[in-house]
Amino acid sequence: MTAATKAEMGFERHAYARVGLLGNPSDVYNGKALSFTITDFSATVRLRPSPELLIQPHPHHDLVAFPSLPHLREDYHCCLKIGVPKHVEVSRLQNEGYYGGVRLLMAICKVFYNHCIQNNISLKAENFTLSYDTNIPRQAGLSGSSAIACAALNCLLDFYDVRHLIKVELRPNLILDAEKELGIVAGLQDRVAQVYGGLVYMDFSQEHMDKLGHGIYRPLDVNLLPPLYLIYAENPSDSGKVHSSVRQRWLNGDEFIISCMKEVAQLALDGHRALLQKDCTELARLMNRNFDLRREMFGDDVLGSVNIKMVEVARSVGASSKFTGSGGAVVALCPDGEAQAELLHKACQEAGFVVQKIKVAPSVLSDEELTSLSTC
């Protein structure tokens, strides 16, 4: 099958859920991070050529069909409770209240096009239809929204055959820019992990960001990771309901927040070293410290009781644990091996949490892209 024939058939691209192992949330504060993607959950975007440009809503996440008028009314009031303005049309209520899949696809298309125009990258005058699917649990801190945008960006890169013209290091910026268009506040860590795939060490120091326009990202061998476990609640009803003041305090020069963020960033660097030395005991200590620092900075009301309970349940059997992101799911390490993992499974089951052994995704970069990284 020729490349032209493949293009006519369209493209299907995946982006995996992300787990922040160490360093989060310092990526938003010019820190460092150690993150990896997992095959357990992913978002899929499909692109096929079409006469006009069409963004297809998802039948569940962007619901526009209802069993009856009372059901529509119920969903409408649900959306109002989560802050969707009354003037928003019914067809957009569900996507605004969930991932916002349609608006994510629209935003990444806009940002991609603008980047190409600004950098004199010519695009063929052809249209397409985009659709998506995802099984990443909502509100689980596994980067479900950025996974949709990342998969869509990969479709666009291949449809227009411009992958070689947009540096790998800059692609996370495009995804973040698309989410900023929608008012999503986040850092680069998630997007880097999903663009690269596998295990990545990241340094977001101001010096690198100012000089390069991006951080320093180092793909690592996923086999360095010990067995890890994912814990999450099937119904994340309490993911923290109080707005955090940490960002403003950091901007105001709060010495406590600045000091804590520097320590959180250092944990990622120390974790990189612990992985290379295969020191699970040290890695476990660093993970616990990462969560403890987050808790000191943000407070329990921001973190949410269910999120804190997940961490505490894991620690009750001696496992180390921390958030995968900002809350909603926890990554746990059992330094004492399988027997401890069995205790973890039992404790989580009794507490009503889902727990599963993590399957780490490999790098998704091509040999050419990996070579381009090594020569930068």
Side-chain angles (χ1 to χ4, degrees), residues 27-335:
D27 59 308
V28 187
Y29 304 89
N30 300 121
K32 300 176 177 64
L34 195 60
S35 301
F36 59 90
T37 49
I38 61 176
T39 61
D40 308 74
F41 302 108
S42 64
T44 300
V45 173
R46 299 173 183 86
L47 181 154
R48 58 180 175 81
S50 58
E52 59 183 1
L53 201 157
L54 177 64
I55 308 293
Q56 289 188 333
H58 190 278
H60 174 67
H61 304 318
D62 303 300
L63 189 63
V64 293
F66 304 89
S68 66
L69 194 58
H71 284 86
L72 183 151
R73 182 189 64 177
E74 180 180 346
D75 282 351
Y76 178 79
H77 288 303
C78 259
C79 288
L80 292 183
K81 287 180 182 178
I82 59 172
V84 179
K86 292 183 178 179
H87 64 270
V88 175
E89 64 267 30
V90 171
S91 64
R92 292 179 55 198
L93 290 179
Q94 286 293 342
N95 87 60
E96 293 284 347
Y98 193 73
Y99 285 105
V102 167
R103 59 186 187 142
L104 281 163
L105 296 180
M106 293 177 66
I108 192 63
C109 286
K110 174 187 173 182
V111 168
F112 168 78
Y113 178 74
N114 285 345
H115 177 83
C116 291
I117 294 298
Q118 293 163 8
N119 291 275
N120 298 315
I121 298 174
S122 298
L123 301 177
K124 60 185 179 182
E126 295 182 19
N127 286 325
F128 55 83
T129 294
L130 279 182
S131 61
Y132 80 97
D133 197 4
T134 179
N135 67 352
I136 301 175
R138 71 185 189 94
Q139 298 179 4
L142 295 170
S143 299
S145 293
S146 60
I148 294 172
C150 180
L153 176 60
N154 280 321
C155 284
L156 294 170
L157 292 172
D158 292 330
F159 177 69
Y160 287 106
D161 193 21
V162 295
R163 184 173 289 273
H164 60 294
L165 298 177
I166 300 179
K167 290 174 55 179
V168 174
E169 296 92 336
L170 290 178
R171 294 174 200 167
N173 294 27
L174 300 185
I175 298 169
L176 184 59
D177 287 345
E179 293 179 280
K180 285 181 178 177
E181 289 267 331
L182 306 175
I184 297 173
V185 180
L188 280 166
Q189 174 194 192
D190 303 357
R191 291 91 202 145
V192 173
Q194 290 169 327
V195 165
Y196 282 58
L199 173 64
V200 188
Y201 172 74
M202 314 166 202
D203 184 341
F204 301 102
S205 70
Q206 192 68 54
E207 178 186 0
H208 299 322
M209 299 300 294
D210 290 343
K211 180 180 178 181
L212 304 172
H214 55 76
I216 299 296
Y217 313 135
R218 299 175 186 169
L220 303 174
D221 183 355
V222 297
N223 294 311
L224 292 172
L225 289 168
L228 296 166
Y229 300 86
L230 182 70
I231 304 169
Y232 62 97
E234 287 188 296
N235 180 24
S237 57
D238 178 17
S239 57
K241 296 181 171 65
V242 178
H243 180 70
S244 170
S245 62
V246 168
R247 178 67 179 176
Q248 191 58 51
R249 290 171 64 189
W250 185 80
L251 291 171
N252 292 342
D254 187 306
E255 292 184 5
F256 172 72
I257 297 298
I258 291 173
S259 174
C260 285
M261 284 301 176
K262 286 182 179 178
E263 184 177 352
V264 170
Q266 183 63 38
L267 295 176
L269 181 59
D270 293 343
H272 184 193
R273 187 181 304 111
L275 285 176
L276 294 175
Q277 296 173 350
K278 297 189 177 297
D279 189 343
C280 282
T281 301
E282 174 65 1
L283 185 62
R285 184 191 72 79
L286 296 170
M287 289 173 62
N288 281 338
R289 181 59 178 161
N290 200 149
F291 175 78
D292 292 344
L293 284 168
R294 176 187 281 272
R295 190 172 187 177
E296 289 177 25
M297 287 187 287
F298 288 83
D300 289 6
D301 288 341
V302 172
L303 299 191
S305 60
V306 173
N307 291 329
I308 293 171
K309 185 178 179 181
M310 284 190 283
V311 171
E312 292 178 339
V313 167
R315 292 188 180 185
S316 72
V317 299
S320 64
S321 56
K322 63 175 291 295
F323 290 170
T324 60
S326 58
V330 163
V331 55
L333 167 62
C334 296

Side-chain angles (χ1 to χ4, degrees), residues 168-169 196 217-219 365-376:
V168 174
E169 296 92 336
Y196 282 58
Y217 313 135
R218 299 175 186 169
L365 299 182
S366 66
D367 291 340
E368 293 79 7
E369 289 170 328
L370 287 171
T371 300
S372 71
L373 294 177
S374 64
T375 57
C376 287

